[in-house]
Amino acid sequence: MPKSLPAASIIKLGRFTWTTMWQVMMSQMAPRSKTGAYVRPESVFRGTIDADHPAAAGRYRLFVGMGCPWAHRTLIVRALKGLEAAIDISIVVPSADDGRWLLTEPYLNCQNMPELYQTASPGFKGRSTVPILFDETTKTIINNESAEIIEILNAEFNEFATHGDLDLYPAAGKAEIDRWNAQIYPSVNNGVYRCGFAQTQAAYDEAVNELFGMLDTIDDHLANQSFLWGEQITLADVRLFTTLIRFDSAYHGLFKCSRRRIRDYANLSQYVQRIYQLPGVADTCDFQAIQQDYYGNLFPLNPGGIVPTPVDMSWLA
């Protein structure tokens, strides 16, 4: 999740208007293109399981934020594969004061993610994001790109998994899965952020039209099948689900994705319900953390910091 602006930065800016101050804060929180469109920075650590970092039970740890959709992907794959006993997790929460992820329990004498990144990679100057897959033996960050971490979890720890025979990225479906990922990431996964962090009307209009155009396409596609690739859940569904499960409670209001709710779609709503009811998935969904993290920590989008009444998500069950 993007970091919030430090509270100390909310100061009077003399001749600057509120609009100008908002633009300054948004530029710090969300990098933009010349047209005012949100540009997501690339992840830096892109390693995998290899001879230097072999697969083993109890050697690796996931650092995740419960409100973060990118981290949520890794928790779902961990649950579906049955890797809870093999891979531990550490939970982080966002700080509204200084925009950092804070560890709920200290780890390697670190209190927050910037400190952990410095411990693992001294001199690191990038964004200290989650999720990360961490090697506890070498004290290094293996990967901090969620799309790659879920592929690693799916393929590299099967001998330690309760459901090692479950393949969420089967060879027969890779081309189709990759095609869906390539379409869904810019328009939906990142599309909701492009709506919420747009700094011009043109950038917002483009993003919101792409978002709902793709949601309409997916809803039509799901009219005759359970998942994106037929009747089997895959990594493409995991990647889509973590955005959709946050849509009605966060993106619909806060990010101005207000044309429709997911609950308003006949097929998409059943699709989200279907995945939510898979064993272990509901336990990874923390709706209180989702609303608190988004509404409580993105000052430029919600200056009052008021967290709305929780959206009724009981229909999922």
Side-chain angles (χ1 to χ4, degrees):
M1 180 182 296
K3 297 184 294 186
S4 59
L5 191 75
S9 298
I10 312 308
I11 59 175
K12 293 183 179 180
L13 299 179
R15 62 185 178 83
F16 288 127
T17 63
W18 164 250
T19 299
T20 303
M21 186 171 74
W22 178 84
Q23 291 173 336
V24 170
M25 291 186 290
M26 283 295 291
S27 67
Q28 294 182 37
M29 182 178 71
R32 67 171 187 168
S33 69
K34 292 181 180 179
T35 62
Y38 172 57
V39 178
R40 182 175 295 278
E42 291 286 333
S43 300
V44 175
F45 296 88
R46 311 298 285 269
T48 190
I49 301 302
D50 55 23
D52 294 327
H53 306 282
R59 174 166 177 161
Y60 298 93
R61 177 177 294 268
L62 285 169
F63 288 83
V64 298
M66 299 305 293
C68 173
W70 317 102
H72 192 187
R73 296 173 171 185
T74 68
L75 288 174
I76 291 178
V77 174
R78 176 177 176 263
L80 291 176
K81 295 286 292 188
L83 287 168
E84 292 92 339
I87 300 176
D88 288 333
I89 62 171
S90 286
I91 305 296
V92 299
V93 295
S95 167
D97 294 328
D98 53 19
R100 297 180 294 178
W101 287 107
L102 306 178
L103 286 157
T104 55
E105 295 183 2
Y107 181 80
L108 297 181
N109 295 318
C110 298
Q111 304 293 326
N112 55 59
M113 291 310 291
E115 290 179 359
L116 184 62
Y117 269 74
Q118 288 300 316
T119 297
S121 182
F124 176 72
K125 299 183 183 301
R127 299 163 67 242
S128 302
T129 60
V130 292
I132 64 171
L133 180 63
F134 190 83
D135 186 335
E136 298 193 280
T137 299
T138 61
K139 305 296 188 293
T140 55
I141 296 171
I142 302 299
N143 201 298
N144 70 341
E145 170 51 58
S146 65
E148 294 173 359
I149 294 175
I150 60 176
E151 291 186 15
I152 293 171
L153 296 179
N154 177 64
E156 302 297 340
F157 296 93
N158 286 332
E159 62 184 299
F160 312 110
T162 304
H163 307 296
D165 57 337
L166 173 64
D167 189 357
L168 298 169
Y169 194 31
K174 280 187 177 182
E176 185 74 0
I177 294 167
D178 291 345
R179 184 183 70 81
W180 276 115
N181 287 338
Q183 294 182 78
I184 290 171
Y185 171 75
S187 58
V188 181
N189 298 139
N190 199 44
V192 292
Y193 288 92
R194 290 169 56 212
C195 293
F197 295 155
Q199 297 181 51
T200 65
Q201 186 68 48
Y204 168 77
D205 290 341
E206 179 181 24
V208 79
N209 287 330
E210 287 184 20
L211 168 64
F212 285 97
M214 181 51 64
L215 290 179
D216 291 343
T217 296
I218 299 171
D219 189 66
D220 291 341
H221 178 74
L222 292 170
N224 299 307
Q225 59 190 68
S226 299
F227 302 102
L228 292 174
W229 189 61
E231 297 306 307
Q232 177 180 341
I233 187 171
T234 69
L235 294 182
D237 299 297
V238 173
R239 290 169 55 143
L240 176 59
F241 174 81
T242 60
T243 297
L244 299 186
I245 200 67
R246 287 160 174 73
F247 199 96
D248 292 3
S249 59
Y251 306 137
H252 180 267
L254 186 64
F255 280 19
K256 307 180 185 69
C257 303
S258 50
R259 190 175 295 176
R260 281 183 294 279
R261 302 171 303 171
I262 296 304
R263 194 174 181 181
D264 298 327
Y265 284 93
N267 302 315
L268 269 176
S269 60
Q270 293 182 35
Y271 169 77
V272 172
Q273 184 184 58
R274 186 175 302 120
I275 296 175
Y276 181 81
Q277 293 181 0
L278 291 174
V281 172
D283 292 337
T284 70
C285 302
D286 188 334
F287 296 112
Q288 181 177 358
I290 289 169
Q291 281 206 298
Q292 180 61 49
D293 287 3
Y294 279 96
Y295 280 94
N297 296 288
L298 297 179
F299 177 86
L301 301 184
N302 188 30
I306 297 172
V307 180
T309 299
V311 173
D312 180 13
M313 302 297 287
S314 62
W315 59 275
L316 288 168

